């Protein structure tokens, strides 16, 4: 096991009436709230009104800003920071999925530090200062509700990079599984893929038999997600399945499970950021479903025994021979992704082989920022070619 | 899944050089430190000196108090609180296992609130106010280093009760697995039993298939502990096995895994507190190893399918029939405990059948304080009879 520091101060309020204390919680951090949200779905399903009622009951002054995109962009962060200044905002309340929460983190840091968001992103320093952040989660996927990271895209350069730091942990996150029953099947599936990707990346980049607790807990959570997502897809209104998905996705990436690995690389995320950087229509989880099997195939020789273990523990793979089991694992993983309606190759994403160089170039830019030194555009293109079809 | 609130703000610094930042960490909370410890083991293995060096390098004023007993007693808490007042102590630094940390919590609360410890224990109110607490862990077992509970014994009445509340989370806990390599085999085994008991109790009292994540994570951690404890017993100096044991024990009872159950009962702990309340020579983990199989046998009909699942997932139990599998599970659990050198019946603890009424009476007193309404002395005696021999 590696040395580590674990400190996650986010308070989680989980359950059917989770937001019953939202108003008083926000009031503890100030009177003027920036309410950030995405598209109109929370206005249709009643969540927006329920949140507004809470804030109004607590006599808070609310500035609402919608329009956060699925891959949040720097220009919208800047617009929000301007609003924060003009309105003397005390805290940011994110109501939405990972994109809304990520953008809220970017706003909270940029406004508090008085620095442009892209300066902060490219500087890569840990964020030590930010406005207080409270979240109401509406999508099980990214765990941004209980971690200190955020991903932002610069629409000019199409670069999709991240910020992180202790000031970005939400103070309180409200998780009501009932708020996710209207999430459509494709988004539910992509959310599941995204959640497992947060366990898969540390598992395969830094997992070793010397960190048995991290491996075993990762497997337990992935198995749980695998069983649960099919229940969700069969009956999207199944509260208990939605609850299990929601908490599993949070636990998957709140820092606890991967602690024993010491470090984590995110090569699959890096490549996916290349894809959705160039093709913003691609949902993050959908891109990951395409990248992960290809990356595993690329790493087959190096990670053979770990891939085989993953398949045996999670996907019902049998057989003594590690290499055969590892190959079977990748096939089973693709079958699983396909079965829940996720894409498994670039063609499924309407991306052609001729687009690969552009994506690889973009991903290589992310790799440089993330210190993934062994990944250049050439190697990334090789991996993407494995994702081209079938 | 049940509704829950999860909020664990303890910072964990884990690894070989974990205490390198102990001095500056303590200095952030004040200048005058009460250094609390137990017997002399930390003076023999160098931990005491390493801690003193850290505090001295940070120019802190140290009042050292040893003599914390394995089941910490109220009178020693009072002695320490007196010292805290006389010396104007700013923070409590616990260096030891769960007993030392538990007593430190009691001291921190009693001193800060100006109330006698037994008043606090019997009042049963959540502790909202306490001196800052920092810990250096030397035994993998109780998870007191990352939770908000503490168990204290009143030596006059032999009652062993608990306090808990948000103010009792340690601010920072330093976990250096190397500090545990001198723990003898029996204490290592009892620590493992104690750690799994913190997963076993919620699993069997409130576990349901509706909380699949909690069940699966519990099983993952118990399997890991089971594999690891035999490595520790074979080679007590195996750093990696000690590290896995240490972090597994912490994760087992920091609140995260059981969150989905909604609530937790601790009937096995209640009965064990009866045993070690009357017989203070009994180590907590040793008492639990005797109680758990008897309690499971007592609950056989009610919890049959869950016991069978536990055996199949963790102990290699096979067979379709739940009742047969459940019985086999209890046998396998006893075999495992016996194999690691833990006692499995009262005779192993040098306790006779004639002592049962006295233990049951004491445990029933704990049951009343803990709201375990279905447990009276008669029922507890029935369970203890199942633990008498064989």
């Amino acid at each position: 096991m590696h040395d580590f520091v674990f400190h996650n101060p986010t308070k989680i309020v989980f359950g059917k009436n989770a937001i019953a204390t939202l108003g008083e919680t926000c009031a503890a951090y100030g009177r003027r709230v920036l309410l950030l949200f995405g598209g109109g779905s929370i206005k249709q399903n009643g969540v927006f009104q329920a949140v507004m009622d809470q804030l109004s009951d607590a006599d808070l002054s609310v500035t609402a800003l919608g329009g956060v995109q699925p891959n949040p962009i720097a220009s919208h962060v800047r617009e929000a920071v301007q609003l924060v200044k003009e309105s003397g905002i005390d805290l940011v309340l994110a109501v939405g999925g990972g994109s809304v929460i990520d953008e809220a983190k970017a706003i909270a840091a940029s406004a508090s530090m008085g620095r442009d968001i892209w300066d902060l992103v490219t500087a890569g320093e840990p964020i030590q200062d930010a406005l207080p952040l409270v979240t109401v989660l509406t999508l099980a996927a990214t765990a941004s509700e209980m971690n200190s990271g955020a991903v932002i895209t610069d629409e000019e350069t199409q670069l999709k990079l991240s910020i992180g730091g202790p000031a970005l942990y939400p103070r309180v996150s409200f998780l009501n599984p009932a708020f996710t029953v209207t999430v459509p099947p494709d988004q539910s599936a992509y959310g599941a893929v995204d959640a497992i990707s947060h366990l898969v990346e540390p598992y395969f980049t830094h997992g070793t038999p010397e960190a048995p607790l991290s491996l075993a807990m990762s497997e337990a959570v992935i198995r749980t997600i695998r069983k649960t997502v099919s229940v969700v897809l069969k009956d999207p209104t199944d509260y208990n399945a939605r609850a299990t998905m929601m908490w599993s996705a949070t636990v998957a990436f709140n820092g606890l499970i991967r602690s024993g690995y010491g470090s984590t690389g995110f090569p699959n995320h890096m490549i996916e950021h290349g894809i959705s950087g160039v093709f913003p229509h691609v949902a993050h989880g959908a891109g990951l479903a395409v990248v992960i099997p290809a990356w595993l195939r690329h790493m087959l020789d190096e990670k053979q025994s770990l891939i085989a273990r993953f398949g045996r523990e999670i996907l019902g793979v049998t057989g003594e021979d590690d290499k055969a089991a590892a190959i079977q694992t990748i096939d089973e993983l693709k079958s699983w992704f396909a079965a829940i309606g996720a894409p498994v190759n670039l063609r499924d994403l309407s991306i052609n082989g001729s687009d690969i160089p552009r994506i690889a170039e973009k991903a290589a830019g992310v790799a440089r920022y993330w210190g993934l030194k062994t990944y250049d555009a050439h190697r990334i293109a090789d991996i993407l070619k494995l994702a081209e079809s079938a």
Side-chain angles (χ1 to χ4, degrees), chain A residues 43-80:
Chain A
K43 293 207 169 170
Q44 286 148 31
N45 63 15
V47 172
F48 185 84
Q49 194 53 52
V51 166
M52 286 299 284
D53 290 348
Q54 269 289 319
L55 300 176
S56 142
D57 287 354
D59 280 331
L60 299 176
S61 147
V62 180
T63 303
L65 178 66
V68 175
Q69 295 188 14
N71 291 304
I73 53 175
S75 62
H76 200 263
V77 173
R78 293 190 187 103
E79 184 189 327

Coordinates of all heavy atoms in Angstrom, one line a residue, chain A residues 43-80:
Chain A
K43 N -36.9 22.3 -14.5 CA -38.2 23.1 -14.5 C -39.4 22.2 -14.8 O -40.5 22.5 -14.3 CB -38.1 24.3 -15.5 CG -37.0 25.3 -15.0 CD -37.3 26.7 -15.5 CE -36.4 27.7 -14.8 NZ -36.4 29.1 -15.4
Q44 N -39.1 21.2 -15.6 CA -40.2 20.3 -16.0 C -40.5 19.3 -14.9 O -41.7 18.9 -14.7 CB -39.9 19.5 -17.3 CG -40.0 20.4 -18.5 CD -39.0 20.0 -19.6 OE1 -38.6 18.8 -19.7 NE2 -38.5 21.0 -20.4
N45 N -39.5 18.8 -14.1 CA -39.8 17.8 -13.2 C -40.0 18.3 -11.7 O -40.1 17.5 -10.8 CB -38.7 16.7 -13.2 CG -37.3 17.3 -12.8 OD1 -37.3 18.4 -12.2 ND2 -36.3 16.6 -13.0
G46 N -40.1 19.6 -11.6 CA -40.5 20.1 -10.3 C -39.3 20.4 -9.3 O -39.5 21.0 -8.3
V47 N -38.1 20.0 -9.7 CA -37.0 20.2 -8.8 C -36.7 21.7 -8.6 O -36.4 22.1 -7.5 CB -35.7 19.4 -9.3 CG1 -34.5 19.8 -8.5 CG2 -36.0 17.9 -9.3
F48 N -36.7 22.4 -9.7 CA -36.4 23.9 -9.7 C -37.3 24.6 -8.7 O -36.9 25.3 -7.8 CB -36.6 24.5 -11.1 CG -36.1 26.0 -11.1 CD1 -34.8 26.3 -11.3 CD2 -37.1 27.0 -11.0 CE1 -34.4 27.6 -11.3 CE2 -36.7 28.3 -11.0 CZ -35.4 28.6 -11.2
Q49 N -38.6 24.3 -8.8 CA -39.6 24.9 -7.9 C -39.4 24.5 -6.4 O -39.5 25.3 -5.5 CB -41.0 24.6 -8.3 CG -42.1 25.5 -7.7 CD -41.8 26.9 -7.9 OE1 -41.6 27.4 -9.0 NE2 -41.7 27.7 -6.8
A50 N -39.1 23.2 -6.2 CA -38.8 22.7 -4.9 C -37.6 23.4 -4.2 O -37.7 23.8 -3.1 CB -38.6 21.2 -4.9
V51 N -36.6 23.6 -5.1 CA -35.4 24.4 -4.6 C -35.7 25.8 -4.3 O -35.4 26.4 -3.2 CB -34.3 24.2 -5.6 CG1 -33.1 25.2 -5.3 CG2 -33.7 22.8 -5.7
M52 N -36.5 26.5 -5.2 CA -36.8 27.9 -5.0 C -37.7 28.1 -3.8 O -37.5 29.0 -3.0 CB -37.6 28.4 -6.2 CG -36.7 28.6 -7.5 SD -35.4 29.9 -7.2 CE -36.3 31.4 -7.3
D53 N -38.6 27.1 -3.5 CA -39.4 27.2 -2.3 C -38.5 27.2 -1.1 O -38.8 27.9 -0.1 CB -40.4 26.0 -2.3 CG -41.5 26.2 -3.3 OD1 -41.6 27.3 -3.9 OD2 -42.2 25.2 -3.5
Q54 N -37.6 26.3 -1.0 CA -36.7 26.2 0.1 C -35.9 27.5 0.3 O -35.8 28.0 1.4 CB -35.6 25.0 -0.2 CG -36.1 23.7 0.3 CD -36.0 23.6 1.9 OE1 -35.1 24.1 2.5 NE2 -37.1 23.0 2.5
L55 N -35.4 28.0 -0.8 CA -34.6 29.3 -0.7 C -35.4 30.4 -0.2 O -35.0 31.3 0.6 CB -33.9 29.5 -2.0 CG -32.9 28.4 -2.5 CD1 -32.4 28.8 -3.8 CD2 -31.8 28.2 -1.5
S56 N -36.7 30.4 -0.7 CA -37.6 31.5 -0.4 C -38.0 31.4 1.0 O -38.1 32.4 1.7 CB -38.7 31.5 -1.5 OG -39.9 31.8 -0.9
D57 N -38.3 30.2 1.5 CA -38.7 30.0 2.9 C -37.6 30.5 3.8 O -37.8 30.9 5.0 CB -39.0 28.6 3.2 CG -40.3 28.1 2.6 OD1 -41.0 29.0 2.1 OD2 -40.6 26.9 2.7
A58 N -36.3 30.4 3.4 CA -35.2 30.9 4.2 C -34.8 32.3 4.0 O -33.8 32.8 4.4 CB -34.0 30.0 4.0
D59 N -35.7 33.0 3.2 CA -35.5 34.5 2.9 C -34.2 34.8 2.2 O -33.6 35.8 2.5 CB -35.6 35.3 4.2 CG -37.0 35.5 4.7 OD1 -37.9 35.6 3.8 OD2 -37.3 35.6 5.9
L60 N -33.8 33.9 1.3 CA -32.6 34.2 0.6 C -32.8 34.9 -0.7 O -33.9 34.7 -1.3 CB -31.9 32.8 0.4 CG -31.5 32.1 1.7 CD1 -30.9 30.7 1.3 CD2 -30.6 32.9 2.5
S61 N -31.9 35.7 -1.1 CA -32.0 36.4 -2.3 C -31.3 35.5 -3.4 O -30.2 35.1 -3.3 CB -31.3 37.7 -2.2 OG -30.7 38.1 -3.4
V62 N -32.1 35.2 -4.5 CA -31.6 34.2 -5.4 C -31.4 34.9 -6.8 O -32.2 35.6 -7.3 CB -32.7 33.1 -5.6 CG1 -32.2 32.1 -6.7 CG2 -32.9 32.4 -4.3
T63 N -30.2 34.6 -7.4 CA -29.9 35.0 -8.8 C -29.8 33.6 -9.5 O -28.9 32.8 -9.2 CB -28.6 35.7 -8.9 OG1 -28.6 36.9 -8.1 CG2 -28.3 36.1 -10.3
A64 N -30.7 33.4 -10.4 CA -30.7 32.1 -11.1 C -30.0 32.2 -12.4 O -30.3 33.2 -13.2 CB -32.2 31.6 -11.3
L65 N -29.2 31.3 -12.7 CA -28.5 31.3 -14.1 C -28.5 29.9 -14.6 O -28.0 28.9 -14.0 CB -27.1 31.7 -13.9 CG -26.2 31.7 -15.2 CD1 -26.8 32.7 -16.2 CD2 -24.8 32.0 -14.9
G66 N -29.3 29.7 -15.7 CA -29.3 28.4 -16.4 C -28.3 28.4 -17.6 O -27.5 29.2 -17.7
G67 N -28.5 27.3 -18.4 CA -27.7 27.2 -19.6 C -26.3 26.6 -19.5 O -25.5 26.7 -20.4
V68 N -26.1 25.9 -18.3 CA -24.8 25.2 -18.3 C -24.8 24.1 -19.3 O -25.8 23.3 -19.3 CB -24.5 24.6 -16.9 CG1 -23.3 23.8 -16.9 CG2 -24.5 25.8 -15.8
Q69 N -23.8 23.9 -20.1 CA -23.8 22.9 -21.1 C -23.3 21.6 -20.5 O -22.5 21.6 -19.5 CB -22.8 23.3 -22.3 CG -23.3 24.5 -23.0 CD -22.5 24.7 -24.2 OE1 -21.7 23.9 -24.7 NE2 -22.6 25.9 -24.8
P70 N -23.6 20.4 -21.2 CA -23.1 19.1 -20.7 C -21.6 19.1 -20.6 O -21.2 18.5 -19.6 CB -23.6 18.2 -21.8 CG -24.9 18.8 -22.4 CD -24.6 20.3 -22.3
N71 N -20.9 19.7 -21.4 CA -19.4 19.9 -21.2 C -19.2 21.4 -20.9 O -19.1 22.1 -21.8 CB -18.6 19.4 -22.4 CG -18.7 17.9 -22.5 OD1 -18.4 17.1 -21.6 ND2 -19.1 17.4 -23.7
P72 N -19.2 21.8 -19.6 CA -19.3 23.2 -19.3 C -18.1 24.0 -19.9 O -17.0 23.5 -19.9 CB -19.3 23.3 -17.8 CG -18.8 22.0 -17.3 CD -19.1 21.0 -18.4
I73 N -18.4 25.2 -20.4 CA -17.5 26.0 -21.2 C -17.0 27.2 -20.4 O -17.8 27.8 -19.6 CB -18.0 26.4 -22.5 CG1 -19.4 27.1 -22.4 CG2 -18.1 25.2 -23.4 CD1 -19.9 27.6 -23.7
A74 N -15.8 27.6 -20.7 CA -15.2 28.7 -19.9 C -16.0 30.0 -20.1 O -16.1 30.8 -19.1 CB -13.8 28.9 -20.4
S75 N -16.6 30.3 -21.3 CA -17.2 31.6 -21.5 C -18.5 31.7 -20.6 O -18.8 32.8 -20.1 CB -17.6 31.7 -23.0 OG -18.5 30.7 -23.3
H76 N -19.1 30.6 -20.3 CA -20.3 30.6 -19.4 C -19.9 30.8 -18.0 O -20.6 31.4 -17.2 CB -21.1 29.3 -19.6 CG -22.5 29.4 -19.1 ND1 -22.9 29.0 -17.8 CD2 -23.7 29.9 -19.7 CE1 -24.2 29.2 -17.7 NE2 -24.7 29.8 -18.8
V77 N -18.7 30.2 -17.6 CA -18.1 30.5 -16.3 C -17.9 32.0 -16.1 O -18.2 32.6 -15.1 CB -16.8 29.7 -16.1 CG1 -16.1 30.1 -14.8 CG2 -17.0 28.2 -16.2
R78 N -17.3 32.6 -17.2 CA -17.0 34.1 -17.1 C -18.3 34.9 -16.9 O -18.3 35.8 -16.2 CB -16.3 34.5 -18.3 CG -14.9 33.9 -18.4 CD -14.0 34.5 -19.5 NE -12.8 33.7 -19.6 CZ -12.5 32.8 -20.6 NH1 -13.4 32.6 -21.6 NH2 -11.4 32.1 -20.6
E79 N -19.3 34.5 -17.7 CA -20.6 35.2 -17.6 C -21.1 35.1 -16.1 O -21.6 36.1 -15.5 CB -21.6 34.5 -18.5 CG -23.0 35.1 -18.6 CD -23.9 34.3 -19.5 OE1 -23.5 33.6 -20.4 OE2 -25.1 34.3 -19.1
A80 N -21.0 33.9 -15.6 CA -21.5 33.7 -14.2 C -20.7 34.5 -13.2 O -21.2 35.1 -12.2 CB -21.5 32.2 -13.8

